[in-house]
Amino acid sequence: MITKWKVFNFKSIRKETELDFAPLTIFAGANSSGKSTFLQSILLMAQTLAHKVGSRSVVLNGAFARLGQFDDLRSVDSDASQIVIGWTVQPLRNFQGRRTLGIRRHPFYYGPGRYALSSVSCEIAFDTESSGAQKEITQIQPRLFSSQLSTLTRDPEEGDRRFFMTIRRATVTSDGEKQKWIDASDSDEPLSRTSLQYDIELDEDSLADIREDLVSAKPVGCLLKHFLPERLSLGVDMVAEDAQTILNVIAGESPRGIIPRRYYGDREIAVPATVVDFILNLAGNVSDDARRMLSERLQHGPNLFGPNVVSLEQLAEALHRLQPRFRREIRQRLAEAEELERLVNDAIREERKEEPAVMLFRPPRAIAEAAWYLEDFFSTAVRYLGPLRDEPKSLYPLSPTANPSEVGLKGEHTAAVLELHKSRSIRYISSSSFVEAEVKTKPVTRSLEAAVIDWLQYLGVADSVQSRDRGKFGHELKVTMSGHNQSHDLTHVGVGVSQVLPILVASLLAEPDTTLVFEQPELHLHPKVQTLLADFFLSMIVLGKQCIVETHSEYLINRLRFRTAAAGKENPWISALKVYFVERPPEGSTFREVRINEYGAVMDWPEGFFDQSQQEAEAILRAAAKKRKTQREK
């Protein structure tokens, strides 16, 4: 669930604006005030992380929104060159992982184990070339300026821990420390050189995670998937790494041969002669037979480096082939030898000077899991339904590229999705829970079709719905209206049915820890239906589904106020609801929180916030009084 969202220098939102989000977050305000702009920043991140071309930092024109080019998005007359968007999300606790078409993904986000995520925060800034050959390209494909990723993890043993990573476009590449690693990077490995375009910073715990494998590692760059870290570039001293690798292998801290191959490919390491002599002498202290067998195996092994030079793989193999009792004793003595580390380091330093190199490496585990969660959440768990629904049809064709679990931006795939999943068992809140003033929510399990019919009847737009697959012709939807026995397709009933059905199907089918974004869900609906639709949104948030709604409906708002006032002592709606009133003065869009207290009253009612009906009623009374007075005077 999204808990915070920040926007700066994005269309009408000129000033940095950070809002707290609740399970049900409402945006209201005049036309062109900036409500949709705020939602577009969410959709921009969702369509970026869902895009298959990971080299694009930000996807301006994608599945959810077509936003034009960078200059169309940057606030007019702004002095700032970057657009900034940031957010915090919290994985739903006690949820066993998201299922997409029956496949469970990444359950460790939600579990009780080590590094389970409490929250993930991210902030990105992006811009464009101001001049030059890349100017037109970066208008459509902006460049990432910076990306900050942090996460708070739950650790049963060590308590909550915070990890962070900052990625920033490098500005100095011609001299100094950065140039050292550019010179050291492999010219045959273009990815490592590309990664050096960014500078990165990690917290100490994340650095310690990396240095468990590479003792000399220093973060010098990053490969990105959009704006999230995919691989790190680490500057290392190969002399120090070889020394540590030798220590790990001969002391038995790693399986034989794994470390050299895992990090260095097929590269082999020569073991200094003084180190080999030390091991042979130690083996002789264990047993003359142990020394003899070890020496013979080293002499008959492959001479990769020429005569009298032992490779690390050859030494590891020789140690491994010793009799178990000899091997265990030698390993133990090597582990207890205090002088071994100094001996290895001094010996290898005598033969070789510092050898800087750049290596691609995994991100620290906590950072990697935070990045995976963001990609998973925004690409699969943000669902959007636009304000304009698909017009009613007798048959609905299904695009072969459509996601079989999504109704589409206009609800155009609702018939196909309902037909495909109508028998699927889902948990939902029955409409009967909302009959009384005080809501008693208790989830029930029924088929998707039964749940849709339940809420259609509660809203009063239809008595039943039937879907049917008509093969190559598409999918058919028919509804039965209250008081009628004959079913009709949607072209012969009120348009309200085609408006409501996509909302119901998309929401009921969504998994917990899904964020549903709706623009003007009340369009073409009777005021009574708008009122009852608020109850449906409340039923969704009880199930762990977040709803973000942009609306012009005072009926929907007033229903939420009523439910808040009617709730008992344990009022669940106070903390579950946030309402923002959006205005657009000359300096840009402003967002003012409208607080609703436990009695359903609006604290400090903003001017223009659904007060038109009251003003019109007062104007009618004044006009009627004036007319009566005029008539009496005649």
Side-chain angles (χ1 to χ4, degrees), residues 527-538:
K528 180 181 178 181
V529 183
Q530 297 180 34
T531 299
L532 299 179
L533 192 59
D535 291 341
F536 179 73
F537 290 138
L538 291 178

Side-chain angles (χ1 to χ4, degrees), residues 314-361:
Q314 183 181 352
L315 177 59
E317 184 71 17
L319 287 169
H320 180 72
R321 290 185 176 276
L322 288 175
Q323 293 181 13
R325 60 189 180 91
F326 290 154
R327 183 172 65 248
R328 285 194 298 268
E329 181 68 20
I330 293 174
R331 294 286 195 196
Q332 182 177 350
R333 295 197 178 200
L334 285 169
E336 294 173 351
E338 296 180 355
E339 70 273 29
L340 180 60
E341 181 175 355
R342 178 185 56 79
L343 174 67
V344 172
N345 279 285
D346 290 348
I348 202 168
R349 289 287 181 189
E350 287 180 6
E351 298 179 0
R352 298 157 57 188
K353 297 181 179 179
E354 181 184 14
E355 296 178 10
V358 175
M359 298 173 57
L360 293 177
F361 195 74

Side-chain angles (χ1 to χ4, degrees), residues 249-434:
V249 171
I250 65 178
E253 295 182 8
S254 331
R256 56 192 176 91
I258 287 182
I259 286 185
R261 289 196 178 98
R262 181 178 178 186
Y263 299 123
Y264 310 143
D266 294 328
R267 179 176 176 271
E268 264 296 351
I269 300 172
V271 183
T274 54
V275 176
V276 176
D277 290 341
F278 178 85
I279 297 173
L280 288 173
N281 290 334
L282 190 147
N285 294 334
V286 172
S287 165
D288 290 339
D289 289 340
R291 178 187 175 96
R292 178 180 52 78
M293 286 187 288
L294 183 60
S295 178
E296 289 176 354
R297 287 186 172 87
L298 290 176
Q299 291 174 4
H300 292 92
N303 291 321
L304 299 177
F305 298 99
N308 303 320
V309 181
V310 176
S311 72
L312 179 58
E313 185 175 8
Q314 183 181 352
L315 177 59
E317 184 71 17
L319 287 169
H320 180 72
R321 290 185 176 276
L322 288 175
Q323 293 181 13
R325 60 189 180 91
F326 290 154
R327 183 172 65 248
R328 285 194 298 268
E329 181 68 20
I330 293 174
R331 294 286 195 196
Q332 182 177 350
R333 295 197 178 200
L334 285 169
E336 294 173 351
E338 296 180 355
E339 70 273 29
L340 180 60
E341 181 175 355
R342 178 185 56 79
L343 174 67
V344 172
N345 279 285
D346 290 348
I348 202 168
R349 289 287 181 189
E350 287 180 6
E351 298 179 0
R352 298 157 57 188
K353 297 181 179 179
E354 181 184 14
E355 296 178 10
V358 175
M359 298 173 57
L360 293 177
F361 195 74
R362 59 167 179 83
R365 179 174 176 180
I367 297 296
E369 291 186 6
W372 292 337
Y373 176 73
L374 288 183
E375 181 182 359
D376 185 35
F377 176 80
F378 281 101
S379 62
T380 66
V382 174
R383 303 292 177 90
Y384 169 66
L385 189 60
L388 302 176
R389 309 289 188 275
D390 197 27
E391 63 181 12
K393 297 182 176 69
S394 55
L395 286 171
Y396 291 84
L398 176 63
S399 169
T401 61
N403 186 324
S405 65
E406 296 185 12
V407 300
L409 304 186
K410 296 182 178 182
E412 63 271 24
H413 305 312
T414 301
V417 172
L418 180 59
E419 170 62 21
L420 182 62
H421 299 284
K422 63 183 179 182
S423 299
R424 178 177 172 180
S425 294
I426 63 166
R427 292 177 73 251
Y428 82 107
I429 306 298
S430 171
S431 65
S432 60
S433 299
F434 293 86

Side-chain angles (χ1 to χ4, degrees), residues 587-622:
E587 60 271 20
S589 297
T590 60
F591 295 76
R592 177 177 174 182
E593 185 176 355
V594 179
R595 299 184 182 276
I596 299 174
N597 66 15
E598 60 181 315
Y599 305 105
V602 174
M603 310 297 292
D604 192 17
W605 194 296
E607 182 179 352
F609 179 71
F610 296 121
D611 52 9
Q612 189 63 35
S613 295
Q614 182 177 342
Q615 293 175 3
E616 289 295 325
E618 293 174 355
I620 291 171
L621 291 174
R622 287 195 297 270

